């Protein structure tokens, strides 16, 4: 009897030991798996704290390990797979895309007000006229000199004007200006006014409008090349003009200016003129705003320069009569 009881006790003890051993194994497995809420290990591409990308904290390359937080023990998904939110809850959906503001182009700068229209090259009241006097000028005389042939009288004329403090107006042809650029520069340097006398000195009434334009522009370019500016003063070659040619010259920005008296010094002694006659003719027509026509070249037959010869005495006599001097810029005021 005691042997039977003793055998049963031994079997019960052995069974209890087996049950205790099995319970210990199950508990060990449970503890090794960890709590179900633990998050997955860091992605292989993400650096561990204090490490660098692609390396573990121990300095050896990371390799994928079974994810113990997943039921099947599979490897983690690609780096862009959704990562569970802290606390073990998965995000409700993909993260919202960032909205990049589109730059708005700056508003264009405000336009500057338009520049005022340039002043007319000459008073509108003078259009359609070939002026023979300076209107409303008072007791002044304008000495003018045409240049188209040579410059034989120019040095003495400029010397006289400088010595007496008088300023004159010089009408130059383009041919003369091109051949005498130093003369153009000397006239301008003396403070004298320049005017346009055509390019080649033709009669204008026989020219079409297009040729008149070429004559004006050619002379202007040649005078500018010498350092002068003839605009807006113009004198017709030979004084030849009509209503059409005056209107055409006006349309190209020029104001025709004739003369009150021609000294006739250009005729020379071979034409019966003397320096005395030159001065007498000017004094005989003396009036407010008188425009005197002279020439700087010599007579082609006798080589005389009577206008240059008569100029010093002429200026003295005009002043003695109570008159002063002006340039043709007085027309533009």
């Amino acid at each position: 009897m005691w042997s039977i009881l003793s055998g049963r006790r031994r079997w019960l003890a052995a069974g209890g030991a087996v049950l205790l051993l099995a319970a210990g194994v199950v508990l060990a497995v449970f503890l090794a798996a960890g709590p179900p809420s633990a998050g997955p290990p860091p992605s292989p591409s993400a650096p561990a704290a204090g490490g660098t990308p692609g390396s573990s904290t121990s300095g050896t390359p990371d390799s994928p390990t079974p994810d113990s937080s997943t039921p099947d023990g599979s490897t983690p998904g690609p780096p862009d797979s959704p990562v569970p939110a802290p606390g073990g809850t998965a995000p409700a959906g993909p993260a919202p895309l960032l909205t990049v503001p589109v730059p708005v182009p700056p508003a264009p700068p405000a336009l500057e007000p338009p520049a005022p229209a340039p002043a007319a090259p000459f008073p509108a009241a003078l259009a359609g006229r070939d002026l023979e006097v300076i209107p409303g000028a008072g007791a002044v005389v304008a000495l003018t000199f045409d240049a188209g042939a040579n410059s034989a009288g120019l040095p003495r004329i400029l010397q006289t004007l400088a010595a007496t403090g008088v300023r004159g107006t010089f009408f130059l042809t383009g041919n003369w200006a091109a051949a005498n650029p130093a003369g153009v520069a000397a006239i301008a340097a003396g403070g004298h006014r320049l005017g346009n006398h055509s390019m080649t000195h033709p009669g204008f009434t026989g020219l079409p409008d297009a040729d008149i334009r070429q004559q004006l522009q050619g002379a202007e370019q040649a005078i500018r090349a010498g350092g002068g500016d003839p605009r807006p003063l113009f004198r017709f070659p030979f004084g030849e003009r009509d209503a059409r040619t005056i209107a055409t010259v006006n349309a190209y920005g020029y104001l025709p200016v004739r003369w009150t008296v021609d000294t006739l010094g250009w005729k020379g002694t071979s034409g019966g003129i003397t320096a005395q006659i030159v001065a007498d003719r000017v004094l005989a027509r003396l009036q407010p705003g008188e425009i005197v026509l002279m020439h700087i070249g010599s007579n082609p037959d006798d080589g005389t320069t009577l206008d240059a010869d008569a100029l010093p005495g002429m200026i003295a006599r005009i002043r003695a009569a109570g008159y002063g001097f002006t340039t043709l810029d007085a027309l533009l005021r």
Side-chain angles (χ1 to χ4, degrees):
M1 183 70 179
W2 282 108
S3 61
I4 294 171
L5 292 173
S6 176
R8 288 180 177 176
R9 288 175 180 170
R10 284 195 298 269
W11 280 107
L12 290 173
V18 170
L19 291 174
L20 288 174
L21 179 61
V25 171
V26 171
L27 180 61
V29 171
F30 178 81
L31 292 176
S37 61
S43 171
S45 62
T52 58
S55 66
S56 66
T57 56
S58 63
T60 59
D62 291 334
S63 60
T65 57
D67 187 350
S68 58
S69 66
T70 58
D72 57 359
S74 61
T75 58
D80 57 353
S81 299
V83 178
T89 58
L97 297 176
L98 294 177
T99 303
V100 179
V102 178
V104 179
L111 296 177
E112 296 182 0
F122 55 85
L126 301 181
R129 300 171 60 184
D130 187 17
L131 295 163
E132 298 181 357
V133 296
I134 302 173
V140 293
V141 172
L143 301 179
T144 71
F145 304 85
D146 286 4
N150 58 55
S151 57
L154 182 60
R156 281 194 298 146
I157 289 172
L158 291 178
Q159 182 180 8
T160 298
L161 294 176
T164 57
V166 175
R167 299 289 181 266
T169 302
F170 290 75
F171 287 95
L172 314 179
T173 66
N175 281 347
W176 188 93
N180 299 275
V184 178
I187 294 169
H192 306 292
R193 189 63 164 89
L194 295 172
N196 190 324
H197 197 32
S198 82
M199 185 66 193
T200 61
H201 205 270
F204 267 42
T205 55
L207 296 179
D209 292 356
D211 289 353
I212 291 176
R213 178 180 183 178
Q214 291 178 356
Q215 287 288 327
L216 295 172
Q217 291 181 339
E220 181 178 332
Q221 292 172 0
I223 294 169
R224 286 183 181 275
D229 184 0
R231 294 177 66 87
L233 303 174
F234 172 75
R235 176 166 283 163
F236 284 105
F238 311 109
E240 180 184 305
R241 83 280 196 226
D242 56 20
R244 178 187 68 88
T245 55
I246 291 173
T248 302
V249 168
N250 287 164
Y252 293 126
Y254 279 99
L255 173 67
V257 184
R258 197 173 173 82
W259 54 84
T260 309
V261 58
D262 180 352
T263 66
L264 300 181
W266 55 271
K267 287 188 174 183
T269 54
S270 59
I273 305 298
T274 64
Q276 183 68 39
I277 293 174
V278 166
D280 287 347
R281 287 177 60 83
V282 173
L283 270 294
R285 297 291 304 275
L286 188 61
Q287 59 183 287
E290 179 183 23
I291 301 172
V292 179
L293 169 62
M294 292 178 279
H295 291 78
I296 67 171
S298 60
N299 180 277
D301 298 323
D302 56 40
T304 55
T305 54
L306 296 181
D307 286 330
D309 297 342
L311 188 59
M314 181 196 307
I315 290 173
R317 290 176 64 184
I318 291 172
R319 279 181 168 156
Y323 281 75
F325 295 91
T326 186
T327 69
L328 291 181
D329 276 333
L331 290 166
L332 309 178
R333 297 169 187 162

